[in-house]
Amino acid sequence: MTEIQRLKEVIGLLGFKTQKDFADRLKLTAGALSDATRGRRGDSVSQSLKDRLELVFNLNIEWLESGKGEPFIKKGPIISESKEGVPYFDISLAEIDHVLNEEQAEYFVNYKPFNDCTAYLPVYGDSMYPKYASGEIIAVREITNYEVLQWGEAYVIMMNEAANSLRSIKLIYQHSNDNKLILRSSNPNFKGDTVIEKKNIAALYIIKGKITRNLI
């Protein structure tokens, strides 16, 4: 496997949905990253890009260059006993009120790529497999304007009592009625859509990425 191939693998390991999102996190243009992944420099990654990957994601450069060791250096994410970073709630969605209270947090995770998020939550169940597997940890950021949503992206949805207090992770799609949304699983074994009314949303969080427990 070449450095370029390992770079592409990193994008998936970090849970980025598009190369543009990955480039934005590195403060690169999409074109510059595209050139890198297409091997415009051959099979190697530039030193400047390696430096950014190491700084932003704690990437193990030895692994990138030779495949030896683990992809990420253990120094990140870092568990914080103080309230530094983003709170991790080790409970299922069904146990969460629509307000994520920091006092209920198991601990805080200081991990620069996702430090702009609201919380880390564990994934339970298989309705979003293979996009999100049970046991993975998702980084979520609260959304307050329900008129500006990213269609086809995954969200954590928390509904009020009028909608049976539904708690779920689903892909959101546009409905023909602007007052409604379509919720859909990514697992093809979970067939059928759920239609909800925006007015019944108690809280909504977009999923910015994921990490596995062995990174913590």
Side-chain angles (χ1 to χ4, degrees):
M1 186 179 290
T2 66
E3 289 184 13
I4 297 298
Q5 290 170 325
R6 292 190 193 95
L7 174 60
K8 292 178 180 179
E9 185 177 346
V10 164
I11 299 174
L13 289 172
L14 288 169
F16 285 97
K17 300 174 180 64
T18 68
Q19 284 194 9
K20 182 181 183 305
D21 290 341
F22 185 63
D24 288 344
R25 185 72 71 174
L26 289 169
K27 299 190 183 303
L28 293 173
T29 65
L33 181 61
S34 180
D35 286 346
T37 56
R38 288 205 307 268
R40 293 289 289 273
R41 290 173 47 89
D43 290 332
S44 63
V45 176
S46 71
Q47 187 59 51
S48 62
L49 180 52
K50 288 178 182 178
D51 290 344
R52 287 182 188 233
L53 289 165
E54 184 177 21
L55 175 65
V56 177
F57 299 119
N58 295 322
L59 186 71
N60 183 350
I61 301 304
E62 183 181 5
W63 173 84
L64 182 67
E65 294 175 343
S66 67
K68 295 179 181 178
E70 297 297 323
F72 300 99
I73 298 171
K74 189 59 181 176
K75 66 182 182 183
I78 299 171
I79 299 300
S80 173
E81 296 298 330
S82 64
K83 292 185 177 182
E84 183 179 354
V86 176
Y88 168 65
F89 298 87
D90 193 17
I91 52 179
S92 69
L93 290 180
E95 299 174 276
I96 300 176
D97 189 5
H98 68 273
V99 176
L100 291 170
N101 186 342
E102 286 190 356
E103 299 305 317
Q104 295 177 291
E106 189 79 8
Y107 45 73
F108 286 72
V109 179
N110 188 358
Y111 186 39
K112 189 174 180 180
F114 299 136
N115 273 356
D116 63 339
C117 289
T118 306
Y120 287 98
L121 300 171
V123 176
Y124 291 93
D126 298 320
S127 68
M128 292 298 290
Y129 184 83
K131 196 176 188 69
Y132 302 108
S134 183
E136 291 180 328
I137 297 171
I138 52 175
V140 304
R141 188 170 70 191
E142 187 171 13
I143 299 297
T144 56
N145 185 350
Y146 304 155
E147 303 307 315
V148 183
L149 300 174
Q150 299 179 48
W151 307 126
E153 294 296 329
Y155 289 78
V156 172
I157 303 100
M158 299 186 182
M159 306 297 292
N160 62 23
E161 291 182 358
N164 299 321
S165 298
L166 173 71
R167 302 284 189 271
S168 188
I169 300 173
K170 288 289 183 286
L171 304 175
I172 287 184
Y173 291 91
Q174 188 173 23
H175 193 278
S176 57
N177 183 335
D178 288 339
N179 296 317
K180 298 181 179 182
L181 296 172
I182 298 171
L183 308 183
R184 186 174 300 160
S185 298
S186 61
N187 188 333
N189 293 324
F190 288 73
K191 303 187 188 311
D193 294 335
T194 300
V195 176
I196 62 170
E197 299 223 17
K198 291 179 181 177
K199 67 180 182 181
N200 291 330
I201 298 175
L204 188 65
Y205 302 84
I206 188 169
I207 300 177
K208 300 297 293 182
K210 65 182 179 181
I211 57 177
T212 55
R213 292 183 186 274
N214 63 4
L215 285 178
I216 296 180

